[in-house]
Amino acid sequence: MLAAVLASSGAGMALVRFVPWSDAARKAGIPRAFAFAIAPFLLGMLAVLALGVFRGASHAFHLGVVFAGLLLLCSSVVLTRPLPKLKHSGTPLPVVPWEWVFGGLLACWVLGLLVNTALLPLIQNDSLEYATVGRLLFDSRDLLSYPAIHPELSNSGFYGPWTHPPFYVALIYLTSAFQGHADMPGLMRFISPWFALAATGLVFTLGNMSNRLAGILSALCFLSVPLFFLGASSALLDALPVLGITIVMAAFIGIQGTPFLKGL
């Protein structure tokens, strides 16, 4: 799982080379945060690809497809887009007391999110249904077994006629393949926090375009919204579209170019 996070983040770092960022965005750190923000989407898209194209293949083969896709993406970008020369950004500003205070509060919220994720059981109806569909995909290894509208074909007999895009349940399948079973919701618990923390980092850089304290306060207000925090620690879907919205906003604010280019 950690290798997948690192590999997808590396692919994100490679892809952001194609984006014409403004100098203000680069100074605020938006390109780096943007790379980490698109990383889980890259991993999920490859999971959907592996399940949809190589239907019924083994778990190991699907994992191989995912990692091969990330490696191919990184290598193709590196070969076609050489690493730009780094510009000296000057001496960073010292951290002021208020930044320490609110930065510490933000760190407490991040720690609380991870602790809740690791220790609290899943009790939300939606997250339990997502886990059950992820188990169904783990057993069938076939994307066409989703949505779960054929209970007679599954071991659990689960019937769930909701038709969300298969992105989230494909990621759950991938985490089950990492841990080698789908008997318990283990690594899948960390999918939503990954999206939530990536969005928090991107919000920080957006606020950082004004100043560092504004970035810290923006990230703190963002992560501490009760319903969003609950959803991220309860394996709900909310953090995924929220990160998508944040990515679109960061691209529109940070890209340098004509209105047409920004809109595209």
Side-chain angles (χ1 to χ4, degrees):
M1 178 69 177
L2 180 59
V5 171
L6 294 175
S8 57
S9 298
M13 292 293 290
L15 282 175
V16 295
R17 299 184 190 181
F18 287 106
V19 182
W21 300 104
S22 66
D23 291 338
R26 293 181 185 278
K27 186 177 180 181
I30 289 180
R32 186 180 295 107
F34 194 90
F36 290 116
I38 65 175
F41 284 108
L42 297 176
L43 188 64
M45 292 296 184
L46 286 171
V48 172
L49 176 69
L51 276 169
V53 176
F54 303 100
R55 296 168 48 203
S58 67
H59 300 135
F61 185 84
H62 283 161
L63 292 180
V65 169
V66 169
F67 279 104
L70 293 173
L71 180 62
L72 180 63
L73 188 60
C74 287
S75 59
S76 61
V77 173
V78 169
L79 291 176
T80 59
R81 199 79 173 179
L83 186 65
K85 294 181 179 180
L86 297 177
K87 297 180 180 179
H88 182 64
S89 58
T91 305
L93 297 174
V95 181
V96 301
W98 281 116
E99 292 175 351
W100 283 111
V101 172
F102 291 111
L105 288 175
L106 178 60
C108 289
W109 278 101
V110 172
L111 180 61
L113 175 62
L114 297 177
V115 170
N116 285 357
T117 300
L119 299 182
L120 295 183
L122 290 183
I123 59 173
Q124 300 284 339
N125 177 73
D126 286 2
S127 57
L128 292 172
E129 289 195 4
Y130 297 141
T132 303
V133 176
R135 182 187 302 168
L136 174 63
L137 289 176
F138 183 82
D139 292 337
S140 67
R141 306 183 305 279
D142 185 352
L143 190 64
L144 292 188
S145 61
Y146 173 81
I149 55 177
H150 298 288
E152 70 279 0
L153 301 180
S154 66
N155 295 330
S156 63
F158 175 72
Y159 176 73
W162 40 268
T163 55
H164 298 322
F167 177 83
Y168 186 38
V169 291
L171 268 176
I172 294 175
Y173 161 79
L174 203 62
T175 58
S176 299
F178 287 140
Q179 66 189 19
H181 66 84
D183 299 331
M184 294 179 61
L187 290 176
M188 70 153 283
R189 296 289 311 273
F190 291 93
I191 297 175
S192 286
W194 183 14
F195 279 80
L197 293 178
T200 303
L202 199 51
V203 168
F204 165 76
T205 59
L206 289 173
N208 197 35
M209 292 187 73
S210 176
N211 58 71
R212 190 162 52 198
L213 181 58
I216 295 173
L217 288 173
S218 299
L220 179 60
C221 292
F222 176 81
L223 185 61
S224 61
V225 173
L227 190 60
F228 179 67
F229 185 87
L230 170 67
S233 61
S234 303
L236 296 180
L237 192 67
D238 306 57
L240 281 69
V242 168
L243 176 58
I245 294 169
T246 311
I247 286 175
V248 172
M249 180 172 287
F252 187 79
I253 292 175
I255 287 178
Q256 179 177 260
T258 63
F260 175 78
L261 178 62
K262 289 188 175 187
L264 181 63

